[in-house]
């Protein structure tokens, strides 16, 4: 039956809104992580699966490893990568020789086989090395730049005789004190950790320097000054420089240290005391009419 002219057809209209499933898929696609996973992650997964399948065969893995080793050997053996010379700068001849022995590099050697950090650590372990920088320079030169420690004191302890710098770090071991008579002497356990105070004492010794043989650390807390003629000055733990300056002023006025004195005890600053030699002590007692004890005879 044909519809009458001017009469609308009674057909259902299509709903333009997407279905629930389509809506959810569209929302999911708009999520950045999902889009990144589909655009990057999925191809990467496929590629990884392909590579894994290819490398699953042991023969293929061995072939790839052989190709890599051959290429690496060809590259590292190129002339521009060869290190043929070791240059040690900033060190004395003795230290430079010690550095060469510590590194023991079989030159020529490819720079790709060099472990610069390991080389730096080996050199830094040497006593005389304050700081070190290791680098490969053009022309096949391995350059080792050293800042050498400068000896400031001779330190004698139970283990031997050492040269130490002005921070107390060991520089080198010596056979005898006479090897470095130009440096002041300190002795005793912990003396290397009180270098700053020892330097102040030496700087304040003034007129006593020609007679000063060295400083001895006592009980890891204070110093004794050792003079010639086996005289000692027992300094206090607190303000030793001030106590020494007072003694020097007293000595210049009364020549205390020119007398037959074994030791000057300044540990009690309010009551400094003198320790006389046995003969002088006996003579003083005799003059004062004091009968000497049996062990003084």
């Amino acid at each position: 039956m044909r519809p009458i002219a001017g009469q609308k057809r009674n057909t259902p209209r299509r709903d333009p809104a997407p279905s629930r499933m389509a809506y959810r898929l569209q929302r999911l696609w708009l999520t950045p992580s999902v889009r990144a996973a589909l655009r990057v992650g999925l191809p990467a997964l496929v590629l990884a699966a392909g590579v894994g399948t290819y490398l699953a065969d042991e023969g293929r893995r061995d072939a790839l490893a052989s190709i890599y080793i051959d290429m690496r050997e060809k590259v590292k053996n190129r002339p521009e990568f060869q290190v043929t010379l070791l240059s040690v700068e900033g060190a004395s001849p003795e230290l430079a020789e010690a550095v060469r022995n510590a590194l023991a590099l079989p030159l020529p050697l490819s720079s790709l086989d060099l472990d610069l950090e390991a080389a730096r650590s080996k050199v830094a372990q040497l006593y005389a090395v304050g700081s070190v920088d290791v680098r490969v320079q053009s022309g096949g030169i391995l350059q080792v730049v050293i800042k050498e420690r400068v000896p400031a004191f001779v330190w004698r302890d139970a283990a031997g005789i050492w040269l130490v710098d002005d921070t107390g770090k060991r520089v080198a071991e010596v056979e005898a004190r006479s090897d470095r008579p130009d440096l002041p002497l300190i002795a005793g356990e912990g003396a290397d950790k009180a270098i700053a105070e020892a330097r102040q004492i030496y700087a304040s010794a003034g007129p006593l320097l020609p007679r000063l043989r060295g400083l001895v650390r006592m009980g890891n807390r204070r110093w004794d000054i050792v003079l010639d003629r086996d005289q000692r000055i027992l300094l206090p733990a607190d303000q030793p420089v001030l106590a020494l300056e007072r003694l020097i002023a007293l000595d210049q006025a009364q020549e205390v240290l020119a007398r037959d004195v074994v030791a000057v005890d300044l540990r009690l600053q309010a009551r400094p005391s003198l320790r006389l030699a046995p003969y002088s002590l006996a003579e003083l007692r005799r003059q004062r009419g004091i009968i000497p004890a049996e062990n003084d005879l």
Side-chain angles (χ1 to χ4, degrees):
M1 181 177 178
R2 294 182 179 180
I4 302 173
Q7 184 180 0
K8 296 181 179 180
R9 292 185 179 181
N10 191 15
T11 57
R13 299 178 61 184
R14 185 177 179 274
D15 187 358
S19 65
R20 181 176 298 177
M21 180 60 69
Y23 175 75
R24 290 181 176 176
L25 289 176
Q26 290 178 6
R27 294 281 298 184
L28 190 62
W29 175 249
L30 293 175
T31 304
S33 59
V34 174
R35 296 179 68 178
L38 292 176
R39 289 181 176 178
V40 179
L42 184 59
L45 181 62
V46 174
L47 179 62
V51 172
T53 302
Y54 180 83
L55 294 179
D57 183 72
E58 184 177 358
R60 293 171 181 169
R61 293 198 304 270
D62 293 342
L64 287 177
S66 177
I67 293 173
Y68 168 75
I69 293 174
D70 290 342
M71 292 181 61
R72 188 177 187 278
E73 288 295 322
K74 289 179 181 179
V75 170
K76 79 176 186 179
N77 290 328
R78 292 178 63 87
E80 56 266 29
F81 292 113
Q82 293 297 303
V83 175
T84 58
L85 180 65
L86 173 61
S87 172
V88 182
E89 301 178 7
S92 62
E94 296 79 8
L95 181 56
E97 185 63 24
V99 169
R100 297 177 188 277
N101 292 334
L103 292 177
L105 294 176
L107 300 179
L109 183 67
S110 174
S111 60
L112 299 179
D113 290 333
L114 276 174
D115 188 341
L116 297 182
E117 182 58 30
R120 193 201 67 81
S121 298
K122 286 182 180 179
V123 176
Q125 290 176 359
L126 298 175
Y127 283 134
V129 175
S131 62
V132 57
D133 182 37
V134 180
R135 66 185 71 175
V136 177
Q137 298 284 13
S138 59
I141 301 174
L142 179 63
Q143 185 182 50
V144 181
V145 181
I146 290 175
K147 183 177 180 181
E148 189 172 355
R149 298 187 189 278
V150 179
F153 287 86
V154 177
W155 172 40
R156 177 187 287 121
D157 69 345
I161 304 176
W162 303 88
L163 301 180
V164 295
D165 65 4
D166 56 3
T167 65
K169 299 293 184 181
R170 297 182 183 184
V171 176
E173 188 174 10
V174 294
E175 294 293 332
R177 165 72 175 107
S178 56
D179 292 344
R180 290 302 301 267
D182 56 309
L183 297 179
L185 174 68
I186 57 176
E189 183 180 358
D192 58 321
K193 296 179 176 59
I195 290 290
E197 194 173 62
R199 188 164 52 247
Q200 292 176 358
I201 294 173
Y202 266 100
S204 303
L208 297 181
L209 281 177
R211 298 187 53 199
L212 202 156
R213 295 173 57 188
L215 303 181
V216 180
R217 192 68 173 167
M218 306 299 295
N220 206 7
R221 58 184 298 270
R222 65 171 196 84
W223 294 99
D224 276 4
I225 298 178
V226 181
L227 304 176
D228 58 4
R229 295 166 37 203
D230 292 330
Q231 287 183 328
R232 282 205 177 205
I233 301 173
L234 284 60
L235 297 177
D238 298 326
Q239 298 182 327
V241 174
L242 180 60
L244 176 60
E245 291 174 346
R246 290 175 178 173
L247 175 62
I248 291 174
L250 180 63
D251 181 62
Q252 290 177 339
Q254 301 183 16
E255 297 184 348
V256 175
L257 297 175
R259 304 176 184 180
D260 197 6
V261 174
V262 174
V264 180
D265 193 342
L266 304 177
R267 288 176 293 179
L268 296 177
Q269 298 191 32
R271 295 182 58 187
S273 60
L274 303 179
R275 188 182 306 163
L276 299 177
Y279 174 81
S280 298
L281 180 60
E283 182 65 18
L284 179 62
R285 286 176 174 176
R286 186 188 65 79
Q287 292 178 2
R288 294 184 178 181
I290 300 175
I291 300 176
E294 183 178 350
N295 56 5
D296 291 337
L297 297 176

